[in-house]
Amino acid sequence: MELSSLSRRAFSALAGTTVLGLALGGSVSGAAPAGPPGPVPTGPPPGPPGADGLRHRVALDRYSLLVDGRRLSLWSGELHPFRLPSPSLWRDVLQKMRAYGHNAVSVRLAWNQHSPAPGTYDFTGVRDLDLFLRTAAESSLYVVVHPGPYIGADVDAGGLPGWLAATGARPRTTDPAYLRHADEWLSRVNAVVARHQFTRGTGTVLLYRADAPGRADLTHLHERIRADGIDVPLLHAGTTLAWDEAERTRDAAEARRVHLDGLARGTTLHNVHMAYGGTSWGWLPAPSAPAPTYDPAAAIDEARRPTAELAPLHQLGHLLRHVPDFTRLDEAAEVRAADARVRVRHLANPDTGAHAYVLRNDSAAAVTSTVPMDGTDVEVTVPARDAKLLATGLHLGAGRKLAYATVQPMLSLSVGRVDIAAFVGRAGEMAHLVLDCPSEPWPTRLDEEAAWAFDHGKLHVNVPLKEDRLTRVRVRGADSDRTLLLLLADDAASLRLWPFETPSGRVLVRGPELLREAVLDGDTIRLTGDTVDERELEVWAPRGIGRVTWNGTAVQASFGRAQSLMTVWPLPGVPEVALPGLDDWRRRTENPESAPEYGDSGWAVADRRTSHSTTPVPGGQPVLFADDYGYHYGDVWYRARLTGAAGLESVSLSYATGARGLLMAWLDGEPLGVHRPDGGPDTWTGTAELGVPAALRGARRERADGGDSAVLSVLVRRTQHGQDDPRAARGLTSAAFAGASPDVRWRIRGAVAPDPVRGPLNHGGLYGERHGWHLPGYDDGDWEKASPADLPREDRRQGVTWYRTTFRLDVPPEVDASVGLVLDDAPDGDHRVQVFLNGWNMGEYAAGRTGAAHTFVLPNGILRTRAAANTLALAVLADGESAPGPGTVRLELLGSAAGGVPVKPVASPGRRRD
């Protein structure tokens, strides 16, 4: 957890006030008074947020947030906009998060993405924070913004810009040099955030997370943020606020254990890390990020598809939203299961009398045990290493109450003439629900799986949960004039239940893979969403609604026994998407920098003697650290002129990189070898001991001018900065020579000026990058034709080889297709491949390395999918022992859906013509 978590027990020890301004890091927002003392009772939550032009109050008590005096159980999901470099797709993922139960999105902002140099900031294109915050408001999501300055998140230097390392500023301290730069960054961010604050009614920014590693700079931080007009509550380390950010979970069972445990402990603010992982593209990732794919176990994967972890998060999010009893819970009397392997946390709502039971089984086997609930010993099975949330005493609409159930409640809402309660469990489980009924009700089986019995004032309903199957039971009578509809679903079926709130009332939709929006228009409900397979569509809507449209097209529907509108014909699935093969490749070798005659007069002279790095400068040697010469990202070249090198026997090169670093060296154009460092997780170091072949030691040193100089060329890859020590040196750190004591003059060259559109993290110092070989429009007509997969095994060289091709996609406009690039390399491959799509650096593939990515997701927008050309470029670094090619390269359809959001092309300028 990144911020302190506060339990109900600890919170109750604080001052007994409804509103704790200090716990929020400042005064409570809004002009209206907090209201009378005493706890706010359980009641309906506030409506979906938006930029409504009204002022709002935000407060907190020991149970939940209070928004305009109503309880809000925050269920946030984390999304890093910089990991999805396609602004159109922000809307897609935000809409999915809301549909899957989230009411807030937590965003971190990477300073290094926005600032290529001191005093220079860019909030355009894929860095358009204003656009992101508007889109979140339009998606009815609150925003928790975290601009750092330090954000961690496995980002290079924890989000701090590379140029900061060369200023002498000491990050995350009260050092005036650091505060000066950090204040400037925060002021630029805050100018945007202030325009979108929920308290002002101009957006949905609800909370502001700040980086305050110690108390010393806390006052300064508060003053800085408040001076910039930020008046929403502040969160920071040490605050008495229960922000619960659980560690990543691996599967649905672990997600249930972790998040239900948070509910049982009294977490006030829930955050799912990550709701969407995305891509650590370009030179964005810190050494701790193992591959371009960030958090492959996220609920929504890199290709924007739901994963197995999603179901429990979807269920719990909608429970917290649609069952208010769970927004105010106290610890209740201890309850023990008959089998001690099942641990029970018992909670109760003091207003409604509802009780919650969190059952956890950490053993390796499923456990069936009795648990006392509502005065009855209820037999419950908890799967291995899993958890369950059960409830008693819940009011299910008008006049009906849940006695107990062996499955988890998901939602309870009233729509039109019917009250609907949904319960969820695992496929293969027997669900047992018991309702308190003063008189015998009139149940009706709407699906054949259900069975029931009435006994001593209780209606027992039993349903075997089948895979991806919803079972409906209608209950009438029992001293209520409203119909109760019970819905029982397994995990898969629960993911096709979509509650939605409109200004005219609530709606529940069943069937499609996603519901994005529901609009009531006269007697018509207009639905927007996605389908993958053919799906039936069932809609519960307010009275007077008799027509349905789906994605703008009218669908025939009629009322059924469940008092719902059911379509006569299923919604169509997604049509097949055909992908082209990748052929017509062009190939060209580079690294002319290794040749002795290469002109390096424009390179920076590496002759400094002092450095701001935390890495000591070796005695008697110049500073070789890349950051000191303004090269912060990507590959760095060094060239040393060695005078008096006759008899040179070996070269010793020490260097430091991030993960999967690499060093290549040449002497007078002849390869000396390749070296890979050891270490981790933040800094990898190595010393390459490279022998000089005998043929290069003697007469060959004599030049036409009579001198005995030689040229040593060195390429260092992976200059990424660690999060814990971002000022540690990257690149060469020292050099030593045996057999001769030459006079050495170093020069260094890295990336050229940052790409004004793609940003400073997009490219490094390879020759091809400096000359635009990765960009669309580069003329590669004189390159040789070659396929990366058909290289002869004897075609091996140490150095850099580029491949380029173009391809076209023609995806129908009504289809959202997620496409990946797959690299199938040879078994003996040990090379590095940098992948560029339309000039955008999609990340690195390190062949033969643990955790290496084989599939790169190509985000729509950067990827042109509507009958437009795409340029693919691959820069391959090979060690001379394996073929200088990535093997087979192909496109793969990772997922598709009929629906999606309109996608605008992301600006991808090509190479300027000379």
Side-chain angles (χ1 to χ4, degrees):
M1 300 176 190
E2 296 192 0
L3 296 173
S4 61
S5 180
L6 190 68
S7 70
R8 292 184 184 86
R9 190 184 304 275
F11 204 114
S12 63
L14 298 174
T17 177
T18 299
V19 177
L20 297 177
L22 292 178
L24 296 171
S27 61
V28 175
S29 305
V40 174
T42 302
D52 56 13
L54 304 175
R55 292 192 67 83
H56 297 279
R57 288 185 296 115
V58 182
L60 172 80
D61 69 7
R62 65 190 180 97
Y63 300 106
S64 70
L65 280 175
L66 303 171
V67 174
D68 297 327
R70 293 188 176 190
R71 294 201 173 279
L72 174 71
S73 190
L74 195 76
W75 182 245
S76 171
E78 188 140 336
L79 159 66
H80 301 159
F82 54 80
R83 284 198 164 100
L84 184 54
S86 176
S88 299
L89 297 184
W90 295 343
R91 185 178 301 276
D92 174 71
V93 176
L94 289 170
Q95 287 182 347
K96 287 174 177 173
M97 288 176 60
R98 185 183 189 281
Y100 290 132
H102 289 290
N103 57 15
V105 56
S106 176
V107 297
R108 304 190 199 204
L109 307 176
W111 183 1
N112 56 13
Q113 191 199 22
H114 294 268
S115 183
T120 303
Y121 295 91
D122 185 356
F123 288 90
T124 64
V126 299
R127 295 163 293 277
D128 193 338
L129 175 60
D130 189 84
L131 174 60
F132 181 87
L133 295 178
R134 291 200 313 270
T135 305
E138 292 164 1
S139 302
S140 299
L141 287 172
Y142 294 106
V143 179
V144 181
V145 65
H146 182 9
Y150 176 88
I151 62 170
D154 295 311
V155 174
D156 185 283
L160 303 177
W163 54 258
L164 191 66
T167 65
R170 289 177 288 119
R172 309 193 75 199
T173 69
T174 56
D175 173 24
Y178 171 68
L179 293 179
R180 182 173 63 255
H181 292 298
D183 285 353
E184 185 176 64
W185 158 246
L186 290 178
S187 291
R188 297 298 184 97
V189 170
N190 293 343
V192 180
V193 173
R195 299 197 298 267
H196 295 271
Q197 295 182 95
F198 181 68
T199 48
R200 301 182 183 183
T202 54
T204 57
V205 174
L206 185 71
L207 298 171
Y208 185 110
R209 294 179 62 191
D211 173 39
R215 302 293 299 183
D217 60 342
L218 192 55
T219 299
H220 173 88
L221 181 68
H222 277 219
E223 292 174 349
R224 166 77 276 150
I225 294 172
R226 294 307 186 198
D228 289 338
I230 302 300
D231 58 25
V232 297
L234 307 183
L235 314 179
H236 51 76
T239 186
T240 53
L241 186 66
W243 174 267
D244 192 356
E245 186 167 286
E247 296 298 323
R248 300 173 187 172
T249 54
R250 294 165 294 185
D251 52 34
E254 186 175 15
R256 265 188 294 271
R257 292 202 314 273
V258 167
H259 294 290
L260 291 181
D261 186 60
L263 181 71
R265 285 186 288 105
T267 297
T268 307
L269 307 176
H270 304 263
N271 187 60
V272 175
H273 180 87
M274 301 286 296
Y276 169 80
T279 301
S280 295
W281 54 273
W283 299 110
L284 174 71
S288 51
T293 297
Y294 188 66
D295 195 0
I300 303 171
D301 72 8
E302 187 184 7
R304 299 175 290 113
R305 303 168 299 182
T307 68
E309 188 177 348
L310 182 59
L313 306 181
H314 175 73
Q315 296 159 8
L316 186 53
H318 284 298
L319 175 73
L320 294 174
R321 172 68 190 173
H322 297 286
V323 185
D325 304 71
F326 289 88
T327 62
R328 188 180 179 209
L329 293 172
D330 286 318
E331 292 187 35
E334 184 181 13
V335 168
R336 293 186 179 183
D339 191 316
R341 289 176 295 174
V342 175
R343 292 183 293 157
V344 183
R345 294 291 295 270
H346 180 203
L347 310 165
N349 186 298
D351 300 325
T352 67
H355 290 247
Y357 304 82
V358 176
L359 281 56
R360 176 166 174 153
N361 173 19
D362 291 330
S363 72
V367 175
T368 298
S369 176
T370 57
V371 178
M373 295 190 298
D374 190 39
T376 304
D377 286 338
V378 180
E379 186 175 271
V380 180
T381 298
V382 184
R385 298 189 177 94
D386 209 330
K388 275 191 171 186
L389 172 62
L390 306 180
T392 64
L394 289 180
H395 290 275
L396 307 180
R400 297 192 179 87
K401 189 169 69 172
L402 176 72
Y404 62 85
T406 62
V407 283
Q408 175 180 314
M410 174 177 165
L411 57 85
S412 177
L413 47 84
S414 295
V415 181
R417 298 179 178 87
V418 63
D419 298 328
I420 303 173
F423 293 82
V424 292
R426 268 26 94 224
E429 180 179 4
M430 175 63 74
H432 183 196
L433 274 73
V434 180
L435 303 183
D436 284 326
C437 297
S439 60
E440 185 170 359
W442 175 25
T444 303
R445 179 190 295 115
L446 302 181
D447 298 288
E448 62 183 13
E449 292 86 0
W452 62 82
F454 180 74
D455 182 44
H456 293 89
K458 295 186 183 295
L459 176 67
H460 296 254
V461 178
N462 290 283
V463 173
L465 299 183
K466 296 187 176 180
E467 182 70 33
D468 198 14
R469 181 67 180 267
L470 182 79
T471 300
R472 301 164 300 168
V473 176
R474 188 180 67 195
V475 180
R476 293 177 176 173
D479 300 325
S480 176
D481 58 359
R482 288 183 62 82
T483 297
L484 172 64
L485 187 67
L486 299 175
L487 307 179
L488 295 103
D490 75 319
D491 285 348
S494 75
L495 284 171
R496 294 190 290 107
L497 281 176
W498 308 108
F500 198 93
E501 295 165 82
T502 77
S504 301
R506 290 179 171 181
V507 167
L508 180 63
V509 175
R510 179 185 70 85
E513 275 76 12
L514 181 68
L515 178 71
R516 296 181 181 273
E517 190 173 14
V519 176
L520 302 183
D521 181 9
D523 66 348
T524 302
I525 182 168
R526 304 189 184 279
L527 304 176
T528 304
D530 297 358
T531 56
V532 177
D533 299 317
E534 287 191 353
R535 294 293 188 186
E536 61 183 9
L537 176 65
E538 187 172 16
V539 180
W540 290 271
R543 298 182 183 185
I545 299 298
R547 300 177 186 272
V548 181
T549 69
W550 177 257
N551 289 343
T553 301
V555 294
Q556 187 176 354
S558 59
F559 285 100
R561 294 189 300 165
Q563 297 192 13
S564 60
L565 279 167
M566 178 79 76
T567 53
V568 175
W569 307 105
L571 299 175
V574 62
E576 184 176 351
V577 175
L579 300 179
L582 297 177
D583 49 23
D584 196 24
W585 288 92
R586 299 279 177 161
R587 173 179 181 241
R588 184 173 179 179
T589 59
E590 54 132 292
N591 53 277
E593 301 92 339
S594 63
E597 64 275 10
Y598 179 81
D600 59 15
S601 60
W603 290 26
V605 177
D607 59 358
R608 298 184 180 184
R609 295 294 167 175
T610 61
S611 171
H612 292 301
S613 173
T614 56
T615 302
V617 179
Q621 296 204 31
V623 174
L624 299 177
F625 312 155
D627 285 304
D628 287 82
Y629 299 95
Y631 303 124
H632 309 299
Y633 308 111
D635 300 295
V636 178
W637 274 98
Y638 296 84
R639 282 171 58 89
R641 179 75 60 179
L642 312 180
T643 303
L648 184 66
E649 296 177 355
S650 65
V651 177
S652 176
L653 300 171
S654 295
Y655 65 109
T657 72
R660 302 187 301 280
L662 189 73
L663 178 145
M664 294 182 174
W666 294 259
L667 185 65
D668 283 341
E670 297 297 324
L672 292 183
V674 175
H675 192 269
R676 299 168 184 85
D678 297 316
D682 271 351
T683 297
W684 293 52
T685 59
T687 297
E689 304 287 353
L690 305 173
V692 176
L696 298 181
R697 299 177 187 174
R700 189 179 180 283
R701 293 287 175 205
E702 298 179 1
R703 305 289 183 194
D705 59 5
D708 65 346
S709 67
V711 175
L712 174 67
S713 301
V714 181
L715 175 64
V716 179
R717 156 142 292 195
R718 209 68 176 182
T719 58
Q720 58 189 174
H721 304 80
Q723 298 181 97
D724 293 336
D725 188 6
R727 294 193 297 155
R730 290 297 185 260
L732 283 181
T733 55
S734 68
F737 305 91
S741 299
D743 179 63
V744 184
R745 296 290 183 269
W746 286 98
R747 289 182 181 268
I748 182 173
R749 183 64 185 269
V752 294
D755 189 309
V757 173
R758 300 174 180 92
L761 303 171
N762 192 71
H763 58 268
L766 294 180
Y767 181 90
E769 292 175 300
R770 304 198 311 266
H771 291 80
W773 292 10
H774 62 300
L775 297 176
Y778 179 82
D779 186 2
D780 57 14
D782 61 345
W783 292 21
E784 67 174 318
K785 294 184 176 182
S787 167
D790 297 332
L791 291 171
R793 296 185 63 83
E794 63 273 10
D795 187 6
R796 301 167 189 265
R797 63 182 292 273
Q798 174 183 302
V800 186
T801 304
W802 283 76
Y803 298 85
R804 283 174 54 94
T805 189
T806 60
F807 63 92
R808 287 180 177 268
L809 298 178
D810 192 10
V811 178
E814 70 277 7
V815 172
D816 177 13
S818 184
V819 179
L821 182 76
V822 181
L823 305 182
D824 294 325
D825 63 345
D828 63 344
D830 194 2
H831 48 252
R832 311 296 165 81
V833 183
Q834 210 68 28
V835 177
F836 294 91
L837 175 67
N838 294 326
W840 289 86
N841 186 341
M842 293 289 99
E844 179 195 55
Y845 168 54
R849 299 285 165 171
T850 301
H854 285 72
T855 301
F856 293 80
V857 175
L858 308 178
N860 294 347
I862 290 178
L863 178 67
R864 310 295 200 246
T865 61
R866 313 298 190 207
N870 294 277
T871 298
L872 180 64
L874 308 176
V876 182
L877 276 66
D879 58 8
E881 298 179 2
S882 57
T888 302
V889 183
R890 56 188 171 85
L891 298 176
E892 181 176 291
L893 185 64
L894 303 179
S896 62
V901 298
V903 176
K904 294 181 180 179
V906 176
S908 302
R911 183 176 184 271
R912 295 180 179 178
R913 299 293 181 180
D914 297 330

